[in-house]
Amino acid sequence: MSGYLESLREGKRLWAAEAGLRALGLALLGLCYRVAVLAQALITAHPSHPTTLSEFALCAATFLLLTCGLAFTLEGPGLLRLVDIPPHSAYFPRG
């Protein structure tokens, strides 16, 4: 497993990793749709009521699933690529 991870960190393209991570992204987007439909059904249910903590949590889960699903679908294994940090970086100083 670590050999595949090292290959992805170096930026090498592996078709199995591309397909797997993009499929994971599509699955997350599908799950996002189901959670969004459930949240919409709960929020618009009559009688009108203030938003509950569980409804807010469903909306937060929808947001997280959407962002993760889009990241995996669009970028795929590029998310695991190592990025060079400039030597003068204020956030990641070199010791």
Side-chain angles (χ1 to χ4, degrees):
M1 180 67 181
S2 64
Y4 289 119
L5 192 57
E6 277 303 315
S7 298
L8 291 174
R9 286 182 180 165
E10 292 172 2
K12 294 180 184 173
R13 295 186 65 151
L14 301 170
W15 70 269
E18 295 240 358
L21 289 175
R22 290 179 196 269
L24 173 65
L26 290 175
L28 289 175
L29 288 175
L31 186 60
C32 172
Y33 172 75
R34 299 295 292 171
V35 172
V37 168
L38 176 63
Q40 190 267 342
L42 288 176
I43 290 172
T44 59
H46 290 289
S48 295
H49 61 282
T51 304
T52 63
L53 186 59
S54 62
E55 291 170 347
F56 182 75
L58 273 176
C59 292
T62 301
F63 174 77
L64 288 174
L65 286 170
L66 179 65
T67 54
C68 292
L70 285 174
F72 278 117
T73 302
L74 298 176
E75 191 61 31
L79 291 171
L80 303 175
R81 193 177 20 204
L82 289 179
V83 178
D84 291 330
I85 298 172
H88 54 71
S89 174
Y91 297 107
F92 301 103
R94 302 218 183 228

